[in-house]
Amino acid sequence: MTERKRTPWVVGVSGASGTPYAAAVLRGLLAAGESVDLVVSRASRLTLLDETGIAFRDAHWREDLGEWLERGADGKPVTFARPELDDVRYWGAGDLAAGPSSGSYPVKGMLIVPASTACVAGVALGLSKDLLQRVASVTLKERRRLVVAVRETPLNGQTLKHLVALDEAGAIVLPASPAFYAGATHIQDLVDFVAGRVLDVAGVPHGLYRRWEGELGGARPPEASGD
C-alpha cells in the first residue's frame, strides 16, 4: 500500500495585530485533516507575546503552539481543546534552506494570516528577506494559491499599490474585515468569520460561521416571547 503523500498548506504569521485570526485558521485546517507547515516571523512573536502572553520559542514550538491554539480570541486559556499537532511542521523564519523555500517542495499553497503592510510590501517587491517572504515568492512563481489576509487601517497609497500588484500577480487579497450578518455575539465569532473566509478561498471545508442564505435577519436569535 502506497503511503499518502504529504502536501501541506503553508501558514505564514507576520507581525500585524491579529494573532487570533492565525490561531483560528490553524485550528480550522487541522480540524479538516489538512497538513500544515508553519512559519512565524520574528516580528509576529512580539505581537503574539503582547496579545496572548505566549513567548513562541523555536526549541519549544510544539508546546507553545498547543497553548496558543487552546486560547480564545478574548485571551482566555483553554477555551479550545488542544488539537493534534502530529502533522504540523515548523520552520524558523531565518531558515532560508527550509523545505518550502523551494518550488520543488510540494505544497497546496500559502495563507498569510495576518499580513502586515511590511509583509505585503516585501512580497509585492519580491524581497524574500526572510522565509515567510521567500515562500510567498515561491508560491506566486509556481502559480499556487496565495491568500494575503492584510490587517491594517487606514491604508496609504503605497500599500494599496502593493496590494494591487499582489492581485495582478495572482494572489488573493483578503482584508481581515469581519461581517455582522452571521449573528456574531462574541469576539470569537468575528475572528472565526475572517478565518472562515480564508479557508473558503483555500477550498477547505469548515463550520466556522453561519453563511448567508438570502433571508434578512436569518442569523438573529428568535425574540423571547412573554406576556
Side-chain angles (χ1 to χ4, degrees):
M1 187 179 222
T2 303
E3 185 179 351
R4 179 178 70 91
K5 186 176 182 180
R6 184 180 184 276
T7 310
W9 284 99
V10 179
V11 176
V13 186
S14 80
S17 176
T19 55
Y21 291 129
V25 167
L26 287 165
R27 284 192 298 266
L29 289 170
L30 295 175
E34 297 286 344
S35 303
V36 172
D37 276 23
L38 178 63
V39 180
V40 179
S41 77
R42 290 188 175 93
S44 70
R45 296 175 190 231
L46 296 176
T47 308
L48 183 63
L49 180 63
D50 183 55
E51 295 182 345
T52 70
I54 297 171
F56 198 90
R57 303 160 295 176
D58 284 347
H60 303 279
W61 70 266
R62 190 177 296 273
E63 175 186 344
D64 297 335
L65 176 60
E67 182 182 354
W68 180 20
L69 297 187
E70 288 179 334
R71 201 168 290 253
D74 57 4
K76 292 182 180 178
V78 200
T79 298
F80 297 95
R82 181 172 299 205
E84 292 292 333
L85 302 178
D86 292 342
D87 208 5
V88 177
R89 289 182 183 172
Y90 170 73
W91 303 95
D95 185 4
L96 293 178
S101 67
S102 171
S104 65
Y105 183 88
V107 301
K108 292 182 177 179
M110 183 180 192
L111 315 174
I112 305 179
V113 188
S116 66
T117 54
C119 172
V120 166
V123 176
L125 297 173
L127 298 183
S128 297
K129 71 171 188 177
D130 61 8
L131 181 61
L132 194 157
Q133 291 183 12
R134 170 59 185 168
V135 177
S137 179
V138 169
T139 303
L140 288 175
K141 82 179 183 67
E142 296 293 329
R143 303 296 190 264
R144 295 167 181 160
R145 184 153 301 186
L146 174 64
V147 182
V148 180
V150 60
R151 217 303 308 160
E152 185 58 272
T153 191
L155 296 171
N156 63 29
Q158 198 61 48
T159 297
L160 290 170
K161 291 176 183 177
H162 290 152
L163 292 173
V164 170
L166 288 177
D167 176 79
E168 291 175 344
I172 298 172
V173 176
L174 193 152
S177 302
F180 295 85
Y181 62 77
T185 59
H186 190 275
I187 186 175
Q188 188 66 54
D189 298 324
L190 299 175
V191 167
D192 285 347
F193 179 86
V194 171
R197 294 298 290 137
V198 171
L199 296 177
D200 283 344
V201 296
V204 176
H206 66 87
L208 288 177
Y209 69 89
R210 175 180 253 170
R211 298 182 182 278
W212 174 253
E213 296 179 349
E215 180 182 354
L216 292 177
R220 296 178 194 157
E223 294 180 4
S225 60
D227 296 330

